[in-house]
């Protein structure tokens, strides 16, 4: 069995998962971010043909996590849907899967910049900002103490011995946290990019996901992306 990693935040312990979710055991709450459902079909409409399997694969991850943790509450931190018409492109089987998920527990769709008005017919509650105890949940980082946000899709490039790997990661300074994207067809922004570093008053800790675990990354191992030599990758959300 792999040793579990925990993050102390907002007066409580949170467990980051290899998939990029966050489990808050004290509140029986599962937190996911940036699912970007139907991103593949959105790109296909514009002529960039991508495999149309991202929604099914992403929902599969959420289903496995809910089966593992059996949450009483799920918070999806915005950009759950890639655009305003994503719901119209959902396959009937995926609509049914979403409804089973939202019927299984208290479910919150935090509003994102891609989905400011989450579809009501899929169940759950749309909300701009959610506050529970000392924690505040919103899509875009705003610098508030106790804030857990998404939006930036942070990734870390870890280098050593002439090689490097690029992985999703959680970023926190103990006051704020930025979660990685859970979507299977989403890009990522290097944690050394100024859009990420500007969110923190002090150097944050980086918790990197791997296939079966999450581990703390030594800041000395972090590398910029090849396209990021000037300090800003140009990657936009």
């Amino acid at each position: 069995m792999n040793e579990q990693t925990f993050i102390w935040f907002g007066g409580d312990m949170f467990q980051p998962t290899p998939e990029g979710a966050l489990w808050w055991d004290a509140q029986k709450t599962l937190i996911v971010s940036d699912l970007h459902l139907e991103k593949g079909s959105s790109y296909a409409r514009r002529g960039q043909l991508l495999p149309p399997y991202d929604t099914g694969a992403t929902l599969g991850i959420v289903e496995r996590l809910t089966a593992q943790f059996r949450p009483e509450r799920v918070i999806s931190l915005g950009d759950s849907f890639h655009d305003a018409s994503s719901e119209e492109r959902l396959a009937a089987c995926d609509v049914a899967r979403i409804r089973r998920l939202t019927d299984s527990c208290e479910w919150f769709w935090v509003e994102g910049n891609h989905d400011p008005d989450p579809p009501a017919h899929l169940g759950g509650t749309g909300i701009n900002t959610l506050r529970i105890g000392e924690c505040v949940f919103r899509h875009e980082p705003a610098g508030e103490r106790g804030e857990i946000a998404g939006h930036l899709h942070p990734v870390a490039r870890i280098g050593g011995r002439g090689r490097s790997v690029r992985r999703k990661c959680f970023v926190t300074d103990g006051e704020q946290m930025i979660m990685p994207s859970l979507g299977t067809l989403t890009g990522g922004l290097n944690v050394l990019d100024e859009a990420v570093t500007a969110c923190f008053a002090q150097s944050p800790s980086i918790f990197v996901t791997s296939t079966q675990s999450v581990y703390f990354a030594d800041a000395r191992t972090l590398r910029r992306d090849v396209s990021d030599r000037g300090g800003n990758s140009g990657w936009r959300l």
Side-chain angles (χ1 to χ4, degrees):
M1 181 179 294
N2 294 306
E3 183 177 349
Q4 297 291 346
T5 296
F6 293 92
I7 300 174
W8 178 259
F9 186 88
D12 234 324
M13 298 296 291
F14 290 78
Q15 179 185 340
T17 77
E19 298 86 355
L22 197 62
W23 172 243
W24 188 5
D25 188 66
Q27 291 284 339
K28 302 302 179 189
T29 296
L30 179 69
I31 306 142
V32 298
S33 187
D34 294 270
L35 304 179
H36 283 270
L37 300 177
E38 290 303 308
K39 181 174 182 178
S41 62
S42 176
Y43 274 60
R45 288 194 309 170
R46 301 197 297 267
Q48 186 173 344
L49 300 182
L50 296 175
Y53 309 121
D54 57 302
T55 293
T58 300
L59 290 176
I61 296 171
V62 179
E63 288 166 340
R64 290 196 298 274
L65 288 167
T66 56
Q68 175 184 349
F69 292 107
R70 299 191 178 280
E72 296 176 2
R73 178 193 297 120
V74 172
I75 303 170
S76 187
L77 278 182
D79 286 2
S80 304
F81 303 89
H82 188 66
D83 57 51
S85 60
S86 290
E87 59 179 303
E88 301 171 7
R89 303 192 303 275
L90 284 168
C93 60
D94 290 331
V95 170
R97 293 170 74 181
I98 294 171
R99 285 307 308 250
R100 283 195 293 271
L101 285 167
T102 57
D103 287 345
S104 68
C105 61
E106 185 178 30
W107 192 287
F108 290 98
W109 302 108
V110 175
E111 299 169 4
N113 57 298
H114 280 257
D115 57 352
D117 187 20
H121 76 279
L122 294 176
T125 301
I127 191 169
N128 179 265
T129 303
L130 179 65
R131 298 177 185 274
I132 303 173
E134 296 184 21
C135 294
V136 55
F137 300 89
R138 60 167 54 93
H139 180 59
E140 296 189 38
E144 184 174 354
R145 183 175 182 178
E147 174 185 270
I148 299 178
H151 182 59
L152 293 177
H153 303 197
V155 296
R157 183 175 292 279
I158 308 297
R161 299 183 180 180
R163 298 185 300 174
S164 67
V165 294
R166 197 170 189 266
R167 296 283 187 266
K168 296 180 180 181
C169 64
F170 299 79
V171 190
T172 180
D173 63 356
E175 301 285 337
Q176 296 137 249
M177 186 188 306
I178 302 176
M179 290 184 58
S181 165
L182 197 76
T184 58
L185 200 59
T186 52
L189 186 63
N190 193 296
V191 293
L192 298 179
D193 189 283
E194 63 184 27
V196 177
T197 59
C199 295
F200 301 96
Q202 55 188 340
S203 297
S205 297
I206 311 299
F207 293 86
V208 179
T209 66
S210 66
T211 304
Q212 296 182 328
S213 63
V214 178
Y215 63 93
F216 172 76
D218 188 326
R220 294 172 295 183
T221 67
L222 298 177
R223 302 289 183 266
R224 295 191 181 278
D225 291 330
V226 174
S227 61
D228 193 20
R229 299 303 184 188
N232 192 310
S233 67
W235 190 80
R236 289 294 173 261
L237 298 137

